[in-house]
Amino acid sequence: QVQLVESGGGLVQAGGSLRLSCAASGRSFRVHAMGWFRQAPGKERKFVASITWSGSSTDYADSVKGRFTISRDNAKNTVYLQMNSLKPEDTAVYYCAAESEIVVGQWDYWGQGTQVTVSS
């Protein structure tokens, strides 16, 4: 079992930066790949970024490549999303998720989400 709590969201002007954090509890955090997803009003939840359990490999949605960076600190049971050059279209609720230990691409655990609003 993994419990996830996001923080760091807020209101920022276009071109600004935010860093989201996701604090995890549970003994198995270190074995899970972790990801960030986002959901804009009236739209489906979409993949943003992911990182393997070791942190050696990352993946990004095309819309955020070069602007967002995912990282993790297993000693602190925390995963981060550094967001730079923010655009109004980045406005969404951002969710942290932990991947299944068994099924690749299946996200078993979710946080409650944190709101990011980018003003133009």
Side-chain angles (χ1 to χ4, degrees):
Q1 285 283 343
V2 179
Q3 295 78 44
L4 305 172
V5 178
E6 303 96 334
S7 61
L11 173 64
V12 64
Q13 288 188 334
S17 298
L18 282 174
R19 188 176 82 154
L20 304 183
S21 299
C22 174
S25 59
R27 294 183 298 171
S28 64
F29 169 77
R30 291 170 180 77
V31 304
H32 291 274
M34 299 294 297
W36 287 96
F37 294 74
R38 67 186 182 186
Q39 186 168 19
K43 297 187 177 181
E44 294 183 350
R45 188 176 299 184
K46 293 186 177 180
F47 170 79
V48 174
S50 64
I51 187 167
T52 55
W53 69 271
S54 66
S56 61
S57 181
T58 58
D59 191 22
Y60 297 92
D62 288 343
S63 58
V64 307
K65 281 181 181 177
R67 300 189 298 122
F68 290 12
T69 302
I70 188 171
S71 61
R72 68 190 294 165
D73 185 338
N74 286 343
K76 296 182 178 180
N77 280 10
T78 302
V79 63
Y80 305 97
L81 185 68
Q82 178 67 44
M83 306 185 295
N84 299 329
S85 302
L86 282 161
K87 305 175 181 180
E89 51 264 44
D90 294 318
T91 295
V93 177
Y94 283 71
Y95 297 90
C96 173
E99 192 180 50
S100 166
E101 294 180 66
I102 302 172
V103 180
V104 174
Q106 177 176 300
W107 300 90
D108 282 352
Y109 305 103
W110 294 85
Q112 82 290 348
T114 186
Q115 176 70 47
V116 172
T117 303
V118 184
S119 63
S120 57

